[in-house]
Amino acid sequence: HGSLIITTVDGLADIIAPSVARYAAQHPKVAITLNTENRHLDLARREADIAIRLTDHPDDRLFGRKVANIPYAPFASKDLIKQYGRDVAALPWILWDEAAGAIGSERWYAERSGNREPIARVTNAMTLLSLARASVGGAILALPLAKSSGLVPLEAPIEGFDTALWCLCRDDLRHSDRVRAFMDQLAKDMAFL
């Protein structure tokens, strides 16, 4: 019983939703808040109990576990493929805003585009997904996010783009039953990615 505040970015909400549903069904007396702001809430300041983050370098002041490796691949809509074909270099592309620091996708795009400017830039994953679905351009997406999107993969997952998915909490919460139960549920569900 009690409350459980989980924070993650909006692009991971679909990926963790089944775990939240299973946890809620098993622990109906726990009041769950899912905060999907694109800023990292500060666990040390008790802004959240659990953080689910895509990172290869989690904060070493936090306790947690890596629950999955998330692969990425280039995707496009069927309409965009009809118009431009499957040639990555011919398609218009949507990239992350340069301030997001998505250096890998910038490098991947530069190698294939002949230094063409992307058609659009975004600041969050759900906008990236929405624009790709609307045939604005191709997009590099996390496979779990893209799997039910209706978008078509253009290539195999990009080598070296995998990012670790971590479930983290403050050290003083690591033995909390409600925190441990959620971490266990998420790890069990992510084992199938």
Side-chain angles (χ1 to χ4, degrees):
H1 61 84
S3 66
L4 184 67
I5 302 170
I6 304 165
T7 182
T8 193
V9 293
D10 64 346
L12 293 176
D14 277 353
I15 296 168
I16 69 162
S19 298
V20 172
R22 287 187 220 7
Y23 179 86
Q26 292 170 10
H27 307 283
K29 291 184 180 180
V30 176
I32 302 167
T33 300
L34 182 59
N35 186 318
T36 56
E37 291 184 41
N38 279 329
R39 72 176 181 94
H40 280 181
L41 296 185
D42 190 341
L43 297 182
R45 295 167 89 185
R46 302 185 188 284
E47 292 179 330
D49 301 314
I50 291 176
I52 301 166
R53 295 190 176 144
L54 283 168
T55 182
D56 289 322
H57 307 286
D59 187 332
D60 59 4
R61 297 171 296 165
L62 300 174
F63 170 79
R65 65 171 113 163
K66 181 172 134 180
V67 293
N69 274 322
I70 305 294
Y72 291 78
F75 287 84
S77 69
K78 292 175 185 173
D79 289 340
L80 205 64
I81 292 170
K82 276 186 203 171
Q83 185 176 358
Y84 292 95
R86 296 179 65 93
D87 180 8
V88 168
L91 291 166
W93 282 87
I94 308 156
L95 297 180
W96 282 93
D97 182 79
E98 291 172 344
I103 297 165
S105 56
E106 289 287 332
R107 190 176 312 121
W108 180 91
Y109 179 71
E111 290 171 1
R112 288 162 174 77
S113 71
N115 290 320
R116 266 184 319 143
E117 284 295 313
I119 192 88
R121 288 190 178 272
V122 298
T123 58
N124 73 56
M126 297 315 290
T127 303
L128 181 63
L129 181 62
S130 295
L131 292 179
R133 283 181 176 155
S135 300
V136 172
I140 298 171
L141 297 168
L143 266 58
L145 181 62
K147 76 176 180 181
S148 62
S149 69
L151 296 170
V152 177
L154 298 171
E155 296 179 357
I158 302 169
E159 192 85 20
F161 263 54
D162 289 16
T163 304
L165 181 65
W166 283 82
C167 188
L168 304 162
C169 70
R170 293 185 318 274
D171 194 56
D172 65 315
L173 288 177
R174 71 190 288 182
H175 299 294
S176 162
D177 290 340
R178 66 183 186 283
V179 169
R180 209 171 58 242
F182 182 80
M183 291 178 120
D184 290 346
Q185 183 65 59
L186 185 64
K188 178 180 173 186
D189 293 343
M190 294 298 120
F192 299 105
L193 282 183

